Amino acid sequence: MIGATAPFMVSKSNHVAKAFPMTTEHPVLSTHGVSIRFGGHIAVNNVSCEFRPGILTAIVGPNGAGKTTYFNLMSGQLSPTSGTVRLYGEDVTRLGAPQRTKRGIGRAFQLTNLFPNLTVLENVRLTVQSRAGLGLNMISMWASHVELIEKAEHFLHVTALGESRHELASALSHGDKRKLEIAILLALEPDIFMFDEPTAGMSVDEVPVVLDLIHHIKAQGDKTILLVEHKMDVVRSLADRIVVLHNGYLVADGDPAEVMASPIVQEAYLGTGMAEHV
Amino acid sequence: MIKTLLSGDLPRSRLLTAMLVVVLVGLALAPFLVSGARSLNVAATICVFVVLVASYDLLLGYTGIVSFAHTMFYGIGAYGVGLALHGMGPSWWAIFVGTAGALALSLVLALVIGLFSLRVRAIFYAMITLAVASAFSVLASQLSDFTGGEDGRTFKVPEILQPGFRLFDAEILGRVVDGKLITYYLVFFSALTLFLFMLRIVNSPFGRVLQAIRENDFRAEALGYRTVVYRTLANCLGALIATLAGVLMALWLRYVGPKTMLSFEVMTDILLIVVIGGMGTVYGAVIGSALFILAQNYLQVLMAQASAAMSGVPFLANLFHPDRWLLWLGVLFVLSVYFFPTGIVGRLRTKAPARGRS
Ligand SMILES: Nc1ncnc2c1ncn2[C@@H]1O[C@H](COP(=O)(O)OP(=O)(O)OP(=O)(O)O)[C@@H](O)[C@H]1O
Ligand SMILES: [Mg+2]
């Protein structure tokens, strides 16, 4: 692990609407028959699913199954052709990504998505600044908000990126870019974490850092975690529940052991060249 | 103190600091350093262009918005104050009314163009601004009863700003304190204030978001920043500051006309200066404006001298004939872009440690 300090600052989840009951009975995030069509291709087809706090849901499926598209529909990068998305009971289908982020969704992207010509620290500082709601301040100097910088440095420390804080994001190695992507997600301090293949392309010694971080988020007990992951050993060790997407359809949903054993998953995976991951 | 004034964004290069100090001192003391109306006119033009170009860089360099409507806002400011003084007579009240009216019109136009088109692709946005600006320029020429048409309007300024005015009889450093001197310092200090204000904006949390949007607007959205709001605000700020630059220019020239205030040539000058000085750094506006406007005004004189000196060699004399100054300005531009693709300021700063770029 990275040092003895707790990797997360104690933070209140002040995203959540006050009246919303935070028990595992109530889904914080749900989709109701969402579909999206790209031309003639339906990438996500009538998917209904609910996500509850304290539970890590792994979303699996072969390449092109629609996992990333489903994420985009939930975090607001895309609007569905039909169906609704609910966040804390509120219909957010027509809201964009910024509004959903403000309501507590945090997203780490599969294809690294950074500010390439800004420094590593600035990438994270901008995130902390957004979380602090300071973006429209034109009067003060950014550098005078020391607390934001310190907080950003904390998240770099947690993700083992402290050394490269003054490098440009574009100069990082692939693995470090993936870590920066996660540092940004942590800096958003969301209630709902969405990881899209966080360890893809990382070297073997970097993977544990990321898995440790996810473990820690899970250990907090009240976070909702969605994880798209191809590595089945990772899924087995982390997931409380597995959802399987295939050709845009939700084909299985439930307890990890059951889902893994179900014939439909065996077929979906073994039939599409995913065997090496199982 | 200086650090606060410069909003923590120091030049970070000795040579750049030296150049900025030379420009600042030169402009601050221009009325005492140079004689003649022309030289002072060059100095005042540099002051106004620093503001105009920096406000454009707020859009292009910091936020990544390509707009061709910047001269329109500059023109609105100039015409606003010019027509008010022309119609209401030379009073400070007329200046106030003209400026306030111009700012209001610019704000509305910036908002409308912005909301209509900031959601579309950058190329369409650029074309919309181009169309609106052309329409506006045609309108200003056509409504000749109101605007003076192609000839523009000359007008009187309040007495204290008139060239004939004497504040007192004695001279300071061998120069009479006349209305022209007072106007110059009005322009200089207004420009300095606006410049420092823009330096603050780009170094504020808001300015940092603008750079994030330029880098990756998709990611900025995912962080919770509503990019439409930020782009629209940047657009409005740039428009308002350009309007004020127009007000200053009109007060200095005591004239407004479509050629000096609204023509596409002004827009190309702004673009050239931004590129020469360096995009995404307000200091670039200072260095770029100073060099460009000096070259524009003195290249001809310099070439006349060079041409005369080479009169023995007809080919060279011909090459440096003053009529070819535009060609040489073009050559200088191409060379500067070739050797300093990130602009003069960008070039000077890359030599400094990378630390400061955070
Ligand atoms: N913007 C788009 N326009 C057109 N087609 C798209 C778009 N985005 C995704 N698709 C298509 O939708 C399908 C699902 O893509 P998606 O990226 O969601 O799959 P995935 O499950 O994340 O796959 P992978 O495991 O490779 O990441 C693919 O066939 C893809 O080509
Ligand atoms: Mg994907």
PDB file of all heavy atoms in Angstrom, chain A residues 70-98:
ATOM      1  N   TYR A  70     -23.226   2.191 -22.427  1.00  0.00           N
ATOM      2  CA  TYR A  70     -24.147   2.177 -21.287  1.00  0.00           C
ATOM      3  C   TYR A  70     -23.664   3.149 -20.201  1.00  0.00           C
ATOM      4  O   TYR A  70     -24.449   3.897 -19.630  1.00  0.00           O
ATOM      5  CB  TYR A  70     -24.254   0.749 -20.754  1.00  0.00           C
ATOM      6  CG  TYR A  70     -25.299   0.549 -19.678  1.00  0.00           C
ATOM      7  CD1 TYR A  70     -26.589   1.048 -19.838  1.00  0.00           C
ATOM      8  CD2 TYR A  70     -24.986  -0.139 -18.499  1.00  0.00           C
ATOM      9  CE1 TYR A  70     -27.550   0.864 -18.847  1.00  0.00           C
ATOM     10  CE2 TYR A  70     -25.947  -0.329 -17.513  1.00  0.00           C
ATOM     11  CZ  TYR A  70     -27.225   0.182 -17.684  1.00  0.00           C
ATOM     12  OH  TYR A  70     -28.172   0.004 -16.706  1.00  0.00           O
ATOM     13  N   PHE A  71     -22.363   3.150 -19.953  1.00  0.00           N
ATOM     14  CA  PHE A  71     -21.776   4.112 -19.010  1.00  0.00           C
ATOM     15  C   PHE A  71     -22.066   5.539 -19.468  1.00  0.00           C
ATOM     16  O   PHE A  71     -22.463   6.390 -18.678  1.00  0.00           O
ATOM     17  CB  PHE A  71     -20.262   3.894 -18.904  1.00  0.00           C
ATOM     18  CG  PHE A  71     -19.845   3.054 -17.725  1.00  0.00           C
ATOM     19  CD1 PHE A  71     -20.722   2.138 -17.163  1.00  0.00           C
ATOM     20  CD2 PHE A  71     -18.583   3.186 -17.175  1.00  0.00           C
ATOM     21  CE1 PHE A  71     -20.347   1.364 -16.068  1.00  0.00           C
ATOM     22  CE2 PHE A  71     -18.193   2.426 -16.086  1.00  0.00           C
ATOM     23  CZ  PHE A  71     -19.070   1.518 -15.526  1.00  0.00           C
ATOM     24  N   ASN A  72     -21.849   5.796 -20.752  1.00  0.00           N
ATOM     25  CA  ASN A  72     -22.067   7.149 -21.270  1.00  0.00           C
ATOM     26  C   ASN A  72     -23.513   7.590 -21.087  1.00  0.00           C
ATOM     27  O   ASN A  72     -23.780   8.769 -20.849  1.00  0.00           O
ATOM     28  CB  ASN A  72     -21.690   7.227 -22.753  1.00  0.00           C
ATOM     29  CG  ASN A  72     -20.188   7.259 -22.965  1.00  0.00           C
ATOM     30  OD1 ASN A  72     -19.444   7.660 -22.071  1.00  0.00           O
ATOM     31  ND2 ASN A  72     -19.745   6.850 -24.140  1.00  0.00           N
ATOM     32  N   LEU A  73     -24.418   6.649 -21.205  1.00  0.00           N
ATOM     33  CA  LEU A  73     -25.832   6.986 -21.028  1.00  0.00           C
ATOM     34  C   LEU A  73     -26.122   7.348 -19.572  1.00  0.00           C
ATOM     35  O   LEU A  73     -26.927   8.225 -19.287  1.00  0.00           O
ATOM     36  CB  LEU A  73     -26.716   5.804 -21.450  1.00  0.00           C
ATOM     37  CG  LEU A  73     -26.770   5.533 -22.957  1.00  0.00           C
ATOM     38  CD1 LEU A  73     -27.450   4.205 -23.234  1.00  0.00           C
ATOM     39  CD2 LEU A  73     -27.506   6.666 -23.661  1.00  0.00           C
ATOM     40  N   MET A  74     -25.442   6.673 -18.645  1.00  0.00           N
ATOM     41  CA  MET A  74     -25.709   6.932 -17.236  1.00  0.00           C
ATOM     42  C   MET A  74     -25.014   8.199 -16.754  1.00  0.00           C
ATOM     43  O   MET A  74     -25.575   8.958 -15.978  1.00  0.00           O
ATOM     44  CB  MET A  74     -25.278   5.730 -16.399  1.00  0.00           C
ATOM     45  CG  MET A  74     -26.221   4.540 -16.591  1.00  0.00           C
ATOM     46  SD  MET A  74     -25.963   3.256 -15.391  1.00  0.00           S
ATOM     47  CE  MET A  74     -24.536   2.423 -16.068  1.00  0.00           C
ATOM     48  N   SER A  75     -23.770   8.443 -17.245  1.00  0.00           N
ATOM     49  CA  SER A  75     -23.048   9.616 -16.729  1.00  0.00           C
ATOM     50  C   SER A  75     -23.312  10.858 -17.570  1.00  0.00           C
ATOM     51  O   SER A  75     -22.803  11.926 -17.253  1.00  0.00           O
ATOM     52  CB  SER A  75     -21.548   9.309 -16.629  1.00  0.00           C
ATOM     53  OG  SER A  75     -21.047   8.875 -17.862  1.00  0.00           O
ATOM     54  N   GLY A  76     -24.096  10.741 -18.625  1.00  0.00           N
ATOM     55  CA  GLY A  76     -24.574  11.942 -19.302  1.00  0.00           C
ATOM     56  C   GLY A  76     -23.821  12.353 -20.548  1.00  0.00           C
ATOM     57  O   GLY A  76     -24.121  13.385 -21.136  1.00  0.00           O
ATOM     58  N   GLN A  77     -22.830  11.564 -20.989  1.00  0.00           N
ATOM     59  CA  GLN A  77     -22.144  11.905 -22.230  1.00  0.00           C
ATOM     60  C   GLN A  77     -23.062  11.671 -23.435  1.00  0.00           C
ATOM     61  O   GLN A  77     -22.907  12.308 -24.464  1.00  0.00           O
ATOM     62  CB  GLN A  77     -20.855  11.086 -22.386  1.00  0.00           C
ATOM     63  CG  GLN A  77     -19.651  11.674 -21.656  1.00  0.00           C
ATOM     64  CD  GLN A  77     -19.734  11.458 -20.168  1.00  0.00           C
ATOM     65  OE1 GLN A  77     -20.336  10.497 -19.703  1.00  0.00           O
ATOM     66  NE2 GLN A  77     -19.153  12.364 -19.397  1.00  0.00           N
ATOM     67  N   LEU A  78     -23.983  10.748 -23.287  1.00  0.00           N
ATOM     68  CA  LEU A  78     -24.950  10.475 -24.355  1.00  0.00           C
ATOM     69  C   LEU A  78     -26.362  10.540 -23.791  1.00  0.00           C
ATOM     70  O   LEU A  78     -26.574  10.284 -22.604  1.00  0.00           O
ATOM     71  CB  LEU A  78     -24.717   9.069 -24.933  1.00  0.00           C
ATOM     72  CG  LEU A  78     -23.436   8.814 -25.722  1.00  0.00           C
ATOM     73  CD1 LEU A  78     -23.311   7.329 -26.034  1.00  0.00           C
ATOM     74  CD2 LEU A  78     -23.406   9.634 -27.002  1.00  0.00           C
ATOM     75  N   SER A  79     -27.305  10.896 -24.663  1.00  0.00           N
ATOM     76  CA  SER A  79     -28.719  10.847 -24.281  1.00  0.00           C
ATOM     77  C   SER A  79     -29.352   9.646 -24.965  1.00  0.00           C
ATOM     78  O   SER A  79     -29.111   9.424 -26.152  1.00  0.00           O
ATOM     79  CB  SER A  79     -29.435  12.110 -24.741  1.00  0.00           C
ATOM     80  OG  SER A  79     -29.251  13.113 -23.797  1.00  0.00           O
ATOM     81  N   PRO A  80     -30.180   8.886 -24.258  1.00  0.00           N
ATOM     82  CA  PRO A  80     -30.754   7.688 -24.879  1.00  0.00           C
ATOM     83  C   PRO A  80     -31.785   8.040 -25.955  1.00  0.00           C
ATOM     84  O   PRO A  80     -32.400   9.103 -25.907  1.00  0.00           O
ATOM     85  CB  PRO A  80     -31.422   6.974 -23.707  1.00  0.00           C
ATOM     86  CG  PRO A  80     -31.695   8.030 -22.708  1.00  0.00           C
ATOM     87  CD  PRO A  80     -30.611   9.053 -22.873  1.00  0.00           C
ATOM     88  N   THR A  81     -31.936   7.150 -26.907  1.00  0.00           N
ATOM     89  CA  THR A  81     -32.992   7.302 -27.911  1.00  0.00           C
ATOM     90  C   THR A  81     -34.342   7.086 -27.252  1.00  0.00           C
ATOM     91  O   THR A  81     -35.325   7.741 -27.571  1.00  0.00           O
ATOM     92  CB  THR A  81     -32.787   6.258 -29.032  1.00  0.00           C
ATOM     93  OG1 THR A  81     -31.392   6.196 -29.345  1.00  0.00           O
ATOM     94  CG2 THR A  81     -33.569   6.634 -30.273  1.00  0.00           C
ATOM     95  N   SER A  82     -34.395   6.132 -26.301  1.00  0.00           N
ATOM     96  CA  SER A  82     -35.615   5.949 -25.516  1.00  0.00           C
ATOM     97  C   SER A  82     -35.227   5.421 -24.148  1.00  0.00           C
ATOM     98  O   SER A  82     -34.100   4.944 -23.946  1.00  0.00           O
ATOM     99  CB  SER A  82     -36.560   4.982 -26.223  1.00  0.00           C
ATOM    100  OG  SER A  82     -35.929   3.730 -26.359  1.00  0.00           O
ATOM    101  N   GLY A  83     -36.160   5.524 -23.199  1.00  0.00           N
ATOM    102  CA  GLY A  83     -35.880   5.082 -21.840  1.00  0.00           C
ATOM    103  C   GLY A  83     -35.457   6.247 -20.955  1.00  0.00           C
ATOM    104  O   GLY A  83     -35.228   7.350 -21.437  1.00  0.00           O
ATOM    105  N   THR A  84     -35.388   5.982 -19.642  1.00  0.00           N
ATOM    106  CA  THR A  84     -35.011   7.047 -18.711  1.00  0.00           C
ATOM    107  C   THR A  84     -33.886   6.599 -17.790  1.00  0.00           C
ATOM    108  O   THR A  84     -33.671   5.417 -17.555  1.00  0.00           O
ATOM    109  CB  THR A  84     -36.203   7.467 -17.816  1.00  0.00           C
ATOM    110  OG1 THR A  84     -36.715   6.296 -17.181  1.00  0.00           O
ATOM    111  CG2 THR A  84     -37.303   8.134 -18.617  1.00  0.00           C
ATOM    112  N   VAL A  85     -33.154   7.599 -17.290  1.00  0.00           N
ATOM    113  CA  VAL A  85     -32.097   7.372 -16.315  1.00  0.00           C
ATOM    114  C   VAL A  85     -32.503   8.119 -15.053  1.00  0.00           C
ATOM    115  O   VAL A  85     -32.923   9.281 -15.125  1.00  0.00           O
ATOM    116  CB  VAL A  85     -30.745   7.912 -16.829  1.00  0.00           C
ATOM    117  CG1 VAL A  85     -29.647   7.690 -15.783  1.00  0.00           C
ATOM    118  CG2 VAL A  85     -30.366   7.258 -18.146  1.00  0.00           C
ATOM    119  N   ARG A  86     -32.426   7.465 -13.907  1.00  0.00           N
ATOM    120  CA  ARG A  86     -32.786   8.124 -12.645  1.00  0.00           C
ATOM    121  C   ARG A  86     -31.600   8.142 -11.712  1.00  0.00           C
ATOM    122  O   ARG A  86     -30.854   7.167 -11.610  1.00  0.00           O
ATOM    123  CB  ARG A  86     -33.957   7.398 -11.974  1.00  0.00           C
ATOM    124  CG  ARG A  86     -35.252   7.597 -12.721  1.00  0.00           C
ATOM    125  CD  ARG A  86     -36.436   6.992 -11.973  1.00  0.00           C
ATOM    126  NE  ARG A  86     -37.655   7.484 -12.591  1.00  0.00           N
ATOM    127  CZ  ARG A  86     -38.264   8.610 -12.217  1.00  0.00           C
ATOM    128  NH1 ARG A  86     -37.797   9.317 -11.204  1.00  0.00           N
ATOM    129  NH2 ARG A  86     -39.350   9.011 -12.844  1.00  0.00           N
ATOM    130  N   LEU A  87     -31.467   9.286 -11.027  1.00  0.00           N
ATOM    131  CA  LEU A  87     -30.374   9.474 -10.088  1.00  0.00           C
ATOM    132  C   LEU A  87     -31.020   9.959  -8.796  1.00  0.00           C
ATOM    133  O   LEU A  87     -31.675  10.997  -8.797  1.00  0.00           O
ATOM    134  CB  LEU A  87     -29.433  10.530 -10.678  1.00  0.00           C
ATOM    135  CG  LEU A  87     -28.047  10.729 -10.097  1.00  0.00           C
ATOM    136  CD1 LEU A  87     -27.296   9.421 -10.011  1.00  0.00           C
ATOM    137  CD2 LEU A  87     -27.281  11.722 -10.956  1.00  0.00           C
ATOM    138  N   TYR A  88     -30.892   9.201  -7.732  1.00  0.00           N
ATOM    139  CA  TYR A  88     -31.563   9.528  -6.471  1.00  0.00           C
ATOM    140  C   TYR A  88     -33.040   9.809  -6.707  1.00  0.00           C
ATOM    141  O   TYR A  88     -33.596  10.779  -6.194  1.00  0.00           O
ATOM    142  CB  TYR A  88     -30.894  10.730  -5.802  1.00  0.00           C
ATOM    143  CG  TYR A  88     -29.456  10.451  -5.462  1.00  0.00           C
ATOM    144  CD1 TYR A  88     -28.432  11.043  -6.186  1.00  0.00           C
ATOM    145  CD2 TYR A  88     -29.129   9.554  -4.442  1.00  0.00           C
ATOM    146  CE1 TYR A  88     -27.114  10.769  -5.898  1.00  0.00           C
ATOM    147  CE2 TYR A  88     -27.809   9.270  -4.145  1.00  0.00           C
ATOM    148  CZ  TYR A  88     -26.810   9.880  -4.872  1.00  0.00           C
ATOM    149  OH  TYR A  88     -25.500   9.596  -4.590  1.00  0.00           O
ATOM    150  N   GLY A  89     -33.655   8.989  -7.514  1.00  0.00           N
ATOM    151  CA  GLY A  89     -35.086   9.117  -7.736  1.00  0.00           C
ATOM    152  C   GLY A  89     -35.474  10.185  -8.741  1.00  0.00           C
ATOM    153  O   GLY A  89     -36.607  10.227  -9.201  1.00  0.00           O
ATOM    154  N   GLU A  90     -34.512  11.065  -9.107  1.00  0.00           N
ATOM    155  CA  GLU A  90     -34.828  12.157 -10.020  1.00  0.00           C
ATOM    156  C   GLU A  90     -34.565  11.721 -11.466  1.00  0.00           C
ATOM    157  O   GLU A  90     -33.563  11.062 -11.736  1.00  0.00           O
ATOM    158  CB  GLU A  90     -33.937  13.359  -9.668  1.00  0.00           C
ATOM    159  CG  GLU A  90     -34.166  14.585 -10.528  1.00  0.00           C
ATOM    160  CD  GLU A  90     -33.024  15.605 -10.385  1.00  0.00           C
ATOM    161  OE1 GLU A  90     -32.055  15.315  -9.641  1.00  0.00           O
ATOM    162  OE2 GLU A  90     -33.095  16.665 -11.011  1.00  0.00           O
ATOM    163  N   ASP A  91     -35.462  12.091 -12.368  1.00  0.00           N
ATOM    164  CA  ASP A  91     -35.254  11.778 -13.778  1.00  0.00           C
ATOM    165  C   ASP A  91     -34.190  12.718 -14.336  1.00  0.00           C
ATOM    166  O   ASP A  91     -34.395  13.925 -14.440  1.00  0.00           O
ATOM    167  CB  ASP A  91     -36.576  11.954 -14.538  1.00  0.00           C
ATOM    168  CG  ASP A  91     -36.444  11.542 -16.000  1.00  0.00           C
ATOM    169  OD1 ASP A  91     -35.299  11.375 -16.472  1.00  0.00           O
ATOM    170  OD2 ASP A  91     -37.493  11.379 -16.656  1.00  0.00           O
ATOM    171  N   VAL A  92     -33.020  12.175 -14.698  1.00  0.00           N
ATOM    172  CA  VAL A  92     -31.926  13.018 -15.184  1.00  0.00           C
ATOM    173  C   VAL A  92     -31.659  12.765 -16.669  1.00  0.00           C
ATOM    174  O   VAL A  92     -30.623  13.176 -17.192  1.00  0.00           O
ATOM    175  CB  VAL A  92     -30.621  12.765 -14.382  1.00  0.00           C
ATOM    176  CG1 VAL A  92     -30.793  13.184 -12.928  1.00  0.00           C
ATOM    177  CG2 VAL A  92     -30.190  11.318 -14.466  1.00  0.00           C
ATOM    178  N   THR A  93     -32.599  12.105 -17.341  1.00  0.00           N
ATOM    179  CA  THR A  93     -32.363  11.694 -18.721  1.00  0.00           C
ATOM    180  C   THR A  93     -31.952  12.863 -19.616  1.00  0.00           C
ATOM    181  O   THR A  93     -31.126  12.716 -20.498  1.00  0.00           O
ATOM    182  CB  THR A  93     -33.642  11.045 -19.300  1.00  0.00           C
ATOM    183  OG1 THR A  93     -34.185  10.169 -18.319  1.00  0.00           O
ATOM    184  CG2 THR A  93     -33.323  10.261 -20.550  1.00  0.00           C
ATOM    185  N   ARG A  94     -32.549  14.028 -19.385  1.00  0.00           N
ATOM    186  CA  ARG A  94     -32.252  15.178 -20.255  1.00  0.00           C
ATOM    187  C   ARG A  94     -31.146  16.070 -19.702  1.00  0.00           C
ATOM    188  O   ARG A  94     -30.864  17.117 -20.269  1.00  0.00           O
ATOM    189  CB  ARG A  94     -33.524  16.013 -20.485  1.00  0.00           C
ATOM    190  CG  ARG A  94     -34.632  15.278 -21.219  1.00  0.00           C
ATOM    191  CD  ARG A  94     -34.262  14.963 -22.667  1.00  0.00           C
ATOM    192  NE  ARG A  94     -34.738  13.650 -23.048  1.00  0.00           N
ATOM    193  CZ  ARG A  94     -34.145  12.875 -23.981  1.00  0.00           C
ATOM    194  NH1 ARG A  94     -33.067  13.279 -24.610  1.00  0.00           N
ATOM    195  NH2 ARG A  94     -34.635  11.685 -24.279  1.00  0.00           N
ATOM    196  N   LEU A  95     -30.563  15.692 -18.577  1.00  0.00           N
ATOM    197  CA  LEU A  95     -29.485  16.519 -18.028  1.00  0.00           C
ATOM    198  C   LEU A  95     -28.148  16.102 -18.627  1.00  0.00           C
ATOM    199  O   LEU A  95     -27.925  14.941 -18.931  1.00  0.00           O
ATOM    200  CB  LEU A  95     -29.426  16.392 -16.500  1.00  0.00           C
ATOM    201  CG  LEU A  95     -30.639  16.906 -15.718  1.00  0.00           C
ATOM    202  CD1 LEU A  95     -30.358  16.838 -14.221  1.00  0.00           C
ATOM    203  CD2 LEU A  95     -30.963  18.346 -16.115  1.00  0.00           C
ATOM    204  N   GLY A  96     -27.266  17.072 -18.780  1.00  0.00           N
ATOM    205  CA  GLY A  96     -25.954  16.789 -19.347  1.00  0.00           C
ATOM    206  C   GLY A  96     -24.988  16.264 -18.300  1.00  0.00           C
ATOM    207  O   GLY A  96     -25.319  16.148 -17.117  1.00  0.00           O
ATOM    208  N   ALA A  97     -23.764  15.930 -18.776  1.00  0.00           N
ATOM    209  CA  ALA A  97     -22.750  15.371 -17.885  1.00  0.00           C
ATOM    210  C   ALA A  97     -22.429  16.288 -16.696  1.00  0.00           C
ATOM    211  O   ALA A  97     -22.310  15.797 -15.570  1.00  0.00           O
ATOM    212  CB  ALA A  97     -21.484  15.048 -18.678  1.00  0.00           C
ATOM    213  N   PRO A  98     -22.262  17.624 -16.898  1.00  0.00           N
ATOM    214  CA  PRO A  98     -21.890  18.456 -15.741  1.00  0.00           C
ATOM    215  C   PRO A  98     -22.913  18.380 -14.613  1.00  0.00           C
ATOM    216  O   PRO A  98     -22.544  18.259 -13.443  1.00  0.00           O
ATOM    217  CB  PRO A  98     -21.839  19.875 -16.317  1.00  0.00           C
ATOM    218  CG  PRO A  98     -21.669  19.718 -17.771  1.00  0.00           C
ATOM    219  CD  PRO A  98     -22.330  18.425 -18.140  1.00  0.00           C
TER     220      PRO A  98
END
